[in-house]
Amino acid sequence: MDDQSRMLQTLAGVNLAGHSVQGGMALPPPPHGHEGADGDGRKQDIGDILHQIMTITDQSLDEAQAKKHALNCHRMKPALFSVLCEIKEKTGLSIRGAQEEDPPDPQLMRLDNMLLAEGVSGPEKGGGSAAAAAAAAASGGSSDNSIEHSDYRAKLTQIRQIYHTELEKYEQACNEFTTHVMNLLREQSRTRPISPKEIERMVGIIHRKFSSIQMQLKQSTCEAVMILRSRFLDARRKRRNFSKQATEILNEYFYSHLSNPYPSEEAKEELAKKCSITVSQVSNWFGNKRIRYKKNIGKFQEEANLYAAKTAVTAAHAVAAAVQNNQTNSPTTPNSGSSGSFNLPNSGDMFMNMQSLNGDSYQGSQVGANVQSQVDTLRHVINQTGGYSDGLGGNSLYSPHNLNMPRSDWCPVISGDLTINPLGHHFLEATVCSMEMANGGWQDATTPSSVTSPTEGPGSVHSDTSN
DNA sequence: ATTCATGATTACGG
DNA sequence: CCGTAATCATGAAT
């Protein structure tokens, strides 16, 4: 509207300034009569029309409507209209020439690619699951993640749905608006100089506007997907406590291997399988556990007792069974502690260790970690209870003075080991143990990688029992 | 809202 | 590469 009046004003100015309207174009003859009219008469007419047009907006709707009709029927209208059209054509062309050519926006392409890759804008179901599968692969792909992934997928489809509905809405709105504008322009082209090219241009502008809105939509969708990804795939953000069962299993292993809580690769895999977590999660868990246990042993005392006792009872039952079946079951070589390392020890070796524990008569040289774990556990619980008497033979060898020492369960096992006492310390007071602990803890006990080495078992057992 | 517990990450060392 | 120590970030309990 503003454009129109401005243009008309210009036109009126030009005309009223005395320039020939007929210029280079053939002004159609007036519709009816007026043969004898000279230039002054025409100028008068044109000026009149222009004045009416210019003031049309100042009038009331009804008035304007009537005026419009009158103008439409004016005999000079076609002539004036074609002039306006010509001028408009020229300006329109110059405008169009200025901003033609829209190169594919690189950012838009990037967004499109991203959305396609994330499975948001791709084919209905395939893209989503593909992305989810990629996510699964990215985060380890353990069975534990399946729930999270379904959650992730659900969220992704949610985003995708929103995206599609919004996109559709925009598309629809764009189309509606375009047709509306086109109709309007076409309608107005009867009274206003609007060429089809200009309508086209208008449509282009509208589309550009809407596509910029679409880009915003795509951008926000991308952001949403990114947030979703980071939430679900970045394990750090998505910290989930392990299941109670998993923690149980890990704790059992930890406390039954308290003397050397460094599970071998096989043991880690086994634990991972049992707990439905990844091996690295097992490693993390043990890393955290070791450091935190060491930092505040007192805090873990109760837990240690609990698990040690639990495992010890299991072991005791196993021993009892072993004793019963000892005659028939011939001992086999332990499998380096990989399977069932702390739940189902080899009965033969177990028995041997128990004997050594009680009577300091260890002879074997191939004790596996599985057996050692039981020994640790039993010794632990014995230390804690001041003697474990459940068919294992009452044991008063482990002096109760360790009881009130927070680290006593650990120190004898670790520091008491002859492996770190080459000078012949037969027994270490709890305080000394604490110091040993403070000086290096497990690291000084043995080489972590040689968890399954049989050298530690006999040594520690001997050390403890020799007192 | 605050605090504690806990899984993961990072920096660093051997 | 594996371990420790410190730290981050979140979940759960209060």
Side-chain angles (χ1 to χ4, degrees):
Chain A
M1 193 57 86
D2 198 39
D3 273 348
Q4 190 181 352
S5 50
R6 221 183 308 125
M7 181 167 294
L8 289 171
Q9 223 163 349
T10 316
L11 196 60
V14 168
N15 286 331
L16 295 175
H19 289 248
S20 167
V21 175
Q22 299 99 312
M25 69 183 302
L27 199 64
H32 41 266
H34 213 287
E35 279 90 56
D38 55 6
D40 275 355
R42 277 188 191 168
K43 267 185 198 165
Q44 185 61 42
D45 274 346
I46 292 167
D48 191 33
I49 291 173
L50 290 173
H51 183 257
Q52 286 185 46
I53 293 170
M54 284 171 67
T55 54
I56 204 165
T57 51
D58 298 333
Q59 294 155 5
S60 74
L61 209 59
D62 286 343
E63 232 179 327
Q65 207 69 21
K67 190 69 72 58
K68 209 173 97 184
H69 185 70
L71 281 170
N72 264 335
C73 298
H74 197 280
R75 61 188 177 82
M76 288 298 290
K77 189 246 177 182
L80 191 56
F81 189 74
S82 56
V83 173
L84 289 168
C85 275
E86 196 200 337
I87 296 168
K88 185 67 183 291
E89 182 73 18
K90 281 178 192 162
T91 55
L93 274 174
S94 66
I95 290 167
R96 192 162 45 103
Q99 46 150 4
E100 192 57 61
E101 233 13 75
D102 48 338
D105 189 347
Q107 198 187 348
L108 183 64
M109 279 177 64
R110 224 180 45 230
L111 287 173
D112 275 335
N113 287 338
M114 193 180 286
L115 289 173
L116 206 64
E118 295 296 338
V120 174
S121 64
E124 191 48 48
K125 209 59 194 165
S129 56
S139 68
S142 131
S143 63
D144 186 46
N145 297 330
S146 61
I147 300 159
E148 292 170 21
H149 287 154
S150 68
D151 205 3
Y152 172 81
R153 213 156 44 222
K155 287 253 165 41
L156 193 68
T157 35
Q158 205 176 324
I159 288 175
R160 170 204 190 82
Q161 273 169 0
I162 291 167
Y163 170 76
H164 277 122
T165 51
E166 287 297 307
L167 203 64
E168 215 169 290
K169 240 191 283 179
Y170 286 165
E171 212 114 297
Q172 201 184 335
C174 180
N175 285 338
E176 268 175 29
F177 190 67
T178 305
T179 51
H180 178 71
V181 167
M182 273 171 77
N183 286 339
L184 209 65
L185 288 174
R186 230 175 274 143
E187 158 93 18
Q188 288 200 353
S189 69
R190 288 211 302 257
T191 55
R192 214 154 66 82
I194 299 167
S195 66
K197 271 183 188 164
E198 205 194 343
I199 295 179
E200 217 173 275
R201 191 170 68 84
M202 220 47 188
V203 170
I205 289 169
I206 292 168
H207 281 175
R208 266 196 291 280
K209 284 279 178 220
F210 270 91
S211 72
S212 80
I213 293 171
Q214 273 188 15
M215 195 158 95
Q216 279 177 20
L217 171 70
K218 282 174 183 174
Q219 186 135 25
S220 58
T221 306
C222 269
E223 275 168 24
V225 171
M226 281 324 190
I227 290 166
L228 185 71
R229 271 188 83 93
S230 69
R231 266 194 184 290
F232 276 81
L233 271 38
D234 183 359
R236 185 168 178 159
R237 291 187 179 284
K238 181 68 182 173
R239 188 183 71 74
R240 279 254 169 262
N241 291 347
F242 296 156
S243 69
K244 208 148 173 70
Q245 198 187 359
T247 313
E248 196 102 330
I249 292 167
L250 293 167
N251 272 317
E252 269 178 30
Y253 188 95
F254 180 80
Y255 288 111
S256 64
H257 294 72
L258 212 47
S259 68
N260 205 12
Y262 298 86
S264 66
E265 194 54 38
E266 293 97 45
K268 280 182 190 171
E269 280 169 19
E270 181 72 21
L271 286 168
K273 213 167 81 179
K274 275 186 175 173
C275 301
S276 303
I277 56 177
T278 64
V279 173
S280 59
Q281 281 178 309
V282 173
S283 300
N284 283 340
W285 191 91
F286 273 90
N288 283 323
K289 192 71 182 179
R290 280 191 299 263
I291 194 74
R292 282 162 188 168
Y293 181 84
K294 200 156 89 174
K295 261 186 174 174
N296 193 353
I297 294 174
K299 204 174 72 183
F300 289 92
Q301 197 69 81
E302 213 175 312
E303 190 179 68
N305 294 343
L306 190 87
Y307 281 101
K310 198 187 296 183
T311 316
V313 169
T314 312
H317 289 162
V319 169
V323 170
Q324 286 197 335
N325 298 334
N326 199 27
Q327 318 299 356
T328 53
N329 280 354
S330 67
T332 55
T333 312
N335 54 3
S336 71
S338 74
S339 93
S341 58
F342 49 93
N343 273 343
L344 298 167
N346 181 288
S347 47
D349 280 347
M350 188 65 210
F351 188 58
M352 248 163 60
N353 265 280
M354 290 319 298
Q355 283 197 318
S356 72
L357 186 66
N358 291 327
D360 191 18
S361 63
Y362 180 79
Q363 306 154 10
S365 60
Q366 25 86 283
V367 182
N370 53 346
V371 175
Q372 184 54 42
S373 77
Q374 301 301 335
V375 176
D376 287 342
T377 301
L378 286 166
R379 286 165 59 211
H380 172 89
V381 78
I382 286 162
N383 274 326
Q384 292 310 309
T385 57
Y388 186 76
S389 54
D390 182 24
L392 297 174
N395 201 314
S396 54
L397 290 168
Y398 303 90
S399 42
H401 71 259
N402 283 340
L403 264 175
N404 40 15
M405 298 307 295
R407 301 164 197 173
S408 63
D409 67 311
W410 176 72
C411 283
V413 173
I414 303 306
S415 307
D417 284 354
L418 292 181
T419 44
I420 65 158
N421 283 304
L423 298 180
H425 299 153
H426 291 302
F427 188 83
L428 292 163
E429 285 291 329
T431 48
V432 181
C433 295
S434 307
M435 289 170 67
E436 291 279 352
M437 186 61 154
N439 286 338
W442 289 293
Q443 273 178 308
D444 292 338
T446 60
T447 312
S449 59
S450 62
V451 173
T452 59
S453 150
T455 59
E456 187 238 37
S460 64
V461 168
H462 191 270
S463 161
D464 284 349
T465 53
S466 66
N467 199 335

